[in-house]
Amino acid sequence: MTNIEKLESKIRSYNPQADLKLIRDAYDFAKNAHDGQHRASGELFIFHPLEVAMILADLELDTVTVAAGLLHDVVEDTQYTIEDIEKIFGPEIALLVDGVTKLGKLEFKSKEEQQAENLRKMLLAMAKDIRIILIKLADRLHNMRTLKSMPEEKQKEKAIETLEIFAPLAHRLGISKIKWELEDLAFRFLEPEHYYDLVDKVAKKRREREEHINEMINILKQKLESSGIKADIQGRPKHFYSIYKKMKEQNKTFDQIYDLTAVRVIVDNVRECYAALGVVHTLWKPIPGRFKDYIAMPKPNMYQSLHTTVIDSKGEPLEIQIRTYEMHKTAEYGIAAHWRYKEGSKIDEFDKKLSWLREILDWQRELKDAKEFMESLKLDLFTDEVYVFTPKGDVINLPAGSCPIDFAYRIHTDIGNRCIGAKVNGKMVPLDYRLANGDIVEILTSSHSSGPSRDWLKFVKSAQARSKIKQWFKKERREENITRGKELLEKEAKRQGYDLYQLIKHDFMEGLLKKLSMQNLEDLFAAIGLGGISPVQAFQRILDEYKKTVKAEKPGVEEKISPKSKKQVVSKEAVVVEGIDNILVKFSRCCNPVPGDKIVGYITRGRGVSIHRFDCPNVQNNQYKERLIEVKWDTFKENSYPVEIEASAYDRPGVLSDVINLIGDMKTTIDAVNARATKNGIAVIDLVLEIKDKQHLENVIQKLKKINGVFEVKRVMNQ
């Protein structure tokens, strides 16, 4: 049987009514188009598209996709155009071939830019037609299978790209059949010594493990049959890369890895899944914390199964997966198992399964920086997840380590922008609280909220939340961002001993702004104010460019652009330190001073100058008076500072909401809130607020005292 006959036979096995003439025509056309071409391995080129088509047939895809797999390299590697493909095979196949051809055509300055742009193009191609990515994954899989014929440097480059992009993409689409093989092949070329050592060790242990697993399977099979549950039970050896990753992450040797094989139980329906789980747990003792119900809460890639780990009759951990036949098909084939072009599938249901893709496309358009895009995508697309509930019981999945702000933006952009607090499992929590599986999350909002805080960017995990926060600042506060960015850059220049405006008046700035993809200085200031570029990084770029151009042409110019005096150093914290250059300044957390407070500096050992309120007990009681130094507030810039206050009130329904709403009305940012009720009916509310100065703080305190039931509000001093 020839290779094309094997392909036709494979297609016929899952689709007896398939149009095999289309497959044969596509094969004949590709064979003639690639005539005389050979791959690096020396084999005829047609062998590659034929194998790609076979991988697509293994996923049981439609004949149009398989035909496009046969033709996917024709436009790129032969004289034929996409118009030729459309004329002969129609617009649908032409769309798929064109989509695959366009992936990876452009060249970029950095590897990171190239990877980011390739991923952007893949996401857009997926939105247009998911089959484009399925063909690309099949293409990469066969290239990895034949990577041995490539130079070693190319092998490692392709293997890294496969591990970082293609395997996680296959995982996100739920195609474990491709994901596992891509990972193992990449592992083989990146760590050949570890790979073959592991292969050898697994082979030596295989017989012993197989005997043990078969014994456990027989015990389980008899118990299930006696309970009236018909099941297909099989052992599933763990893949080499997953074993290696577990050894590295848990710092274990091969001999300490017991679960080299998992047992998979496949039953007819969901009811039998849970019944089988009950049988397993009566047979063997489950290990606490190792049970996961992906049937009730499916993974975003549609994976469903029950996972449990038990201690078997020999005292060893045994992982057992329980699922239906339909779930098993989805686990193996992922998105391909729910193909919209397959007869009888529902388009709405298919689109719902790709909702995550539309969310990513929404925020990825906002990210111009390649590094930020790659980091954000890896967080949102490729990391572990946490599953939490809305108060109504809807399941929301977020990247592991997410906080209530991530949850708020996942629900709706407006909910995130107006968020002023959060409850988890009925209790108030700080906004940087890390959510755990099963948490019930409720977001508190206010129509008078001043909007997101820049501090949120320090702890949100999801790229969606990060993008929406930056988008808000970009649109709502451009003028404020420009002013803020300008001030930050001026301060950084002053800190390094330069006059910013003497630097940026030179012609080199025009070229530098173009390199940074910015139209003018206002764009640069706005980006700094938004937090997209740090003032240190921006100023360093300006200084480097200045030294390369102006200073190189006119030695000695530097003295003319330096400030006249360096006796006073302004810290980035907006405090003037008298008589000391380049000193690190930080605010003490014991008294949290704000502009308007009388302050003093304390020279620490190795950590710069610590700024305290003059009446701070830690200063007044300190025996090392000689370390105190004169400091003063710099009125050049308006900053905000964290201040902790405590409000005491007679406990009543709604008192916490009244406090939070009033602070929102005053356009004051809440960094953290914690409320507790005492036994004598008093509610104590601890708040950390972003305060501009002492007058601002006094206004907040006075207004809080006017709330019904509030009898005391005080500024907290930590000893």
Side-chain angles (χ1 to χ4, degrees), residues 583-596:
I583 190 75
L584 175 68
V585 171
K586 63 172 187 172
F587 286 97
S588 66
R589 292 185 180 179
C590 53
C591 56
N592 289 322
V594 296

Side-chain angles (χ1 to χ4, degrees), residues 318-487:
L318 177 66
E319 183 188 334
I320 298 175
Q321 301 169 357
I322 307 168
R323 60 181 73 148
T324 65
Y325 288 95
E326 187 63 30
M327 291 172 192
H328 180 59
K329 191 172 184 181
T330 298
E332 293 291 300
Y333 300 102
I335 202 78
H338 294 263
W339 189 236
R340 76 155 75 180
Y341 297 93
K342 286 185 175 180
E343 194 176 344
S345 64
K346 295 178 182 176
I347 291 178
D348 289 344
E349 184 184 339
F350 182 87
D351 284 342
K352 190 177 177 184
K353 294 179 189 303
L354 281 180
S355 60
W356 58 270
L357 174 59
R358 282 192 296 278
E359 288 172 5
I360 290 170
L361 285 171
D362 283 342
W363 59 255
Q364 68 92 19
R365 294 187 184 98
E366 301 294 321
L367 302 176
K368 292 181 180 178
D369 180 70
K371 186 175 182 180
E372 185 181 0
F373 173 72
M374 289 298 289
E375 287 175 355
S376 297
L377 188 67
K378 285 173 182 175
L379 270 177
D380 242 28
L381 197 58
F382 302 154
T383 57
D384 290 335
E385 296 187 305
V386 61
Y387 297 85
V388 296
F389 295 93
T390 67
K392 292 183 179 179
D394 297 325
V395 180
I396 303 293
N397 61 288
L398 295 163
S402 288
C403 64
I405 299 294
D406 295 288
F407 177 89
Y409 278 103
R410 179 59 60 88
I411 299 299
H412 195 277
T413 302
D414 198 38
I415 300 292
N417 288 341
R418 294 191 293 114
C419 173
I420 57 169
K423 288 183 179 181
V424 173
N425 304 324
K427 295 180 180 178
M428 291 296 297
V429 296
L431 291 177
D432 61 355
Y433 173 87
R434 289 188 65 171
L435 299 173
N437 281 321
D439 280 346
I440 300 170
V441 188
E442 181 183 352
I443 300 298
L444 305 177
T445 62
S446 169
S447 56
H448 302 295
S449 165
S450 56
S453 163
R454 281 188 175 85
D455 287 336
W456 292 1
L457 293 169
K458 296 174 184 175
F459 52 77
V460 293
K461 281 290 181 186
S462 65
Q464 182 186 23
R466 189 174 297 278
S467 171
K468 295 298 181 186
I469 294 166
K470 287 187 175 182
Q471 192 177 344
W472 189 89
F473 280 110
K474 191 174 182 180
K475 288 181 180 176
E476 300 291 325
R477 296 190 174 179
R478 178 169 168 82
E479 290 304 317
E480 183 185 322
N481 288 332
I482 290 171
T483 304
R484 176 184 169 84
K486 185 177 173 184
E487 290 171 350

